[in-house]
Amino acid sequence: MSTIKELSAKSAQSTFDKKVLTAVQHLHPYVKHRIYIAESTGILPKNMYSSNGIIDECIITLYSNGFNIEAEYAAVRLELFKLVDNYMNELFKKEVFHKNTISTDDIRRHEIAKLGEEYTIDADLDLILNTELNDISYRQDMDNELYLYEDKETSILRAFEVNDLSVKQPKKVFGRFYSWLPINISNIIDLYIFGNLEFEDISKIKNITTSRIELIFDRVKKSFRTHLE
């Protein structure tokens, strides 16, 4: 006969398992979108990776690391997003050579460097990126053009507070949005839009301050709106 302690442990494990399953529902839209962007921009080979495979690997890591099964749901969800974020960052670094199969080692190193950009704050409290986000402009490389599903476009437009598109060309803008945006920056944008995470949670995942996350989002939003005009 099971003791009260054993029954309690089984109950706690069952409750934890349910928290993990609930969190997975929020991970899939984000992971699927990141895979699509990576495939469309040439970082990942098409149809080689799936959201199910990536998330399953991260769930295994969660259990293997002995994560506290009595943790609140919010903590479980955040930990899974951290694991997924780290996993995909490493995956992109490993697979980035697909972006230019005829590129030289210098180009490959350049792409890898983009994946590891750091952020600094100058004396005026302005965010400085290695790619100088303020001076960002759309590339005219049609080979990198991609198209988002309408529901994805709607999610981005809502997040960027763009309402009137009657005289604009959103398709053209979306087609190049992820081409000119550094992948580590689009990662932050997608955690907010498709991962449905607050800036504070994203700061914990990326290990930078909430104020920097807010500043990055604000600058990307302004740049996006400028290219809609």
Side-chain angles (χ1 to χ4, degrees), residues 1 4 6 34 38 43 70 87 98 117 127 145 148-150 165 168 173 179 181 193 205 211 213 220 223 229:
M1 180 180 293
I4 293 178
E6 289 173 337
R34 293 305 292 172
I43 293 175
E70 295 183 355
Y87 185 96
H98 290 290
E117 283 172 332
L127 181 69
E145 193 161 355
L148 300 183
Y149 291 108
E150 191 169 329
L165 296 178
K168 305 182 189 303
V173 175
S179 294
L181 199 62
I193 297 176
I205 292 173
S211 61
I213 296 294
V220 173
S223 182
E229 296 174 355

Side-chain angles (χ1 to χ4, degrees), residues 150-202:
E150 191 169 329
D151 62 325
K152 305 294 186 185
E153 293 181 0
T154 301
S155 296
I156 294 174
L157 292 174
R158 186 184 302 114
F160 289 164
E161 300 176 346
V162 177
N163 299 313
D164 183 11
L165 296 178
S166 59
V167 294
K168 305 182 189 303
Q169 294 179 296
K171 293 287 184 184
K172 184 176 181 180
V173 175
F174 281 115
R176 295 174 182 171
F177 179 62
Y178 285 93
S179 294
W180 61 256
L181 199 62
I183 195 166
N184 61 308
I185 302 299
S186 68
N187 184 195
I188 290 173
I189 302 303
D190 287 344
L191 281 169
Y192 178 79
I193 297 176
F194 300 107
N196 289 315
L197 295 176
E198 300 296 331
F199 291 144
E200 184 177 356
D201 288 333
I202 298 173

Side-chain angles (χ1 to χ4, degrees), residues 89-104:
N89 284 341
E90 291 304 312
L91 178 63
F92 290 175
K93 288 179 182 179
K94 181 182 74 172
E95 298 284 3
V96 73
F97 71 90
H98 290 290
K99 191 172 178 66
N100 252 309
T101 55
I102 60 172
S103 66
T104 64

Side-chain angles (χ1 to χ4, degrees), residues 80-122:
L80 277 171
F81 265 103
K82 284 182 180 179
L83 291 171
V84 164
D85 186 67
N86 289 333
Y87 185 96
M88 297 191 77
N89 284 341
E90 291 304 312
L91 178 63
F92 290 175
K93 288 179 182 179
K94 181 182 74 172
E95 298 284 3
V96 73
F97 71 90
H98 290 290
K99 191 172 178 66
N100 252 309
T101 55
I102 60 172
S103 66
T104 64
D105 286 342
D106 286 339
I107 294 177
R108 183 166 183 246
R109 282 195 294 269
H110 173 69
E111 293 296 336
I112 291 176
K114 285 173 63 179
L115 292 170
E117 283 172 332
E118 296 180 352
Y119 320 90
T120 57
I121 298 291
D122 65 13

